Structure formats: structure tokens, C-alpha cells
Amino acid sequence: MAYVKVGSHGSATACLTYGEYKDGQQREGVVVGGVDCRPSAAKEEFKAVRFLWNKENGVQAHTVIQSFDDNITMEKANEIGQELAKRLAPGHQAVIFTHNDGEGGKIHNHIVLNAVNS
């Protein structure tokens, strides 16, 4: 069954790292997309925007886990995640990590949104 889960976090860097790594090892087969940022530089870009808005403490990131039923490609799931990020938080930087690990091997997105808009 498909689902969506939302959370808030005090460390954007930790959320972005989780999208890339599991148990200290770089994840394989992850599809990554970005909204208003370059995924490869998202940690620095998120931090720069938070610094401009004096938002170094408290909630730094919001996350959305978006799971899908079968019959979807990782690339299509990532596109859907990017569109969701744009609609949920216009003007906010976002990185979308699409995984197929975890219980049942379901394709799912980890959407990390910067808490402040750019």
C-alpha cells in the first residue's frame, strides 16, 4: 500500500546524508533529483540559505517519505517526488532520493526540504 509520512528535523545535513548512505555505506541504485538546488551541493546550499535567514537553530529541514505501489520506475517516482516538493513548498530547496531498499523492496522517495525558502 502506498503512503506518505511527514517529519521535521533539527539537522538538514543528517537528512541529506541518510538519503545517500545507509549504515555508513553509500547506497547503490539511488535516483537523485533536486528542486532549486544542485543535489551534489545541497548541504552547502541549504546551509547558505539558512544562514541568510538567520535560521541555524531549531528545525532545519522537513522530510516527506512517499511510498509507491508496484509498477513504477525509480525515475518516474523521482519525477513525482520533485513535483510534490514544488507543490508542497514553493520556493524551497529540495532533494529527492528514490530508494528501493527497506521492507518489501518498495520504491519510495525521501524528500528533504530546506526549512526556509530561497
Side-chain angles (χ1 to χ4, degrees), residues 16-28:
L16 293 166
T17 298
Y18 180 82
E20 295 179 272
Y21 294 89
K22 182 175 184 177
D23 300 327
Q25 300 291 321
Q26 189 164 15
R27 294 176 187 266
E28 294 184 22

Side-chain angles (χ1 to χ4, degrees), residues 34-83:
V35 175
D36 295 335
C37 70
R38 295 171 297 147
S40 62
K43 291 174 185 175
E44 295 82 12
E45 291 181 24
F46 277 33
K47 184 176 182 175
V49 170
R50 287 194 318 272
F51 179 78
L52 287 172
W53 289 100
N54 195 28
K55 180 69 173 148
E56 289 300 300
N57 296 315
V59 174
Q60 291 185 352
H62 301 286
T63 58
V64 178
I65 300 173
Q66 178 185 39
S67 174
F68 298 92
D69 285 330
D70 297 331
N71 301 323
I72 189 167
T73 66
M74 300 256 303
E75 292 76 13
K76 184 64 177 173
N78 194 274
E79 289 175 23
I80 292 168
Q82 290 179 49
E83 185 62 31

Side-chain angles (χ1 to χ4, degrees), residues 100-115:
N100 66 350
D101 59 354
E103 194 172 316
K106 293 281 188 189
I107 292 176
H108 60 282
N109 289 327
H110 290 266
I111 303 169
V112 182
L113 299 156
N114 199 351

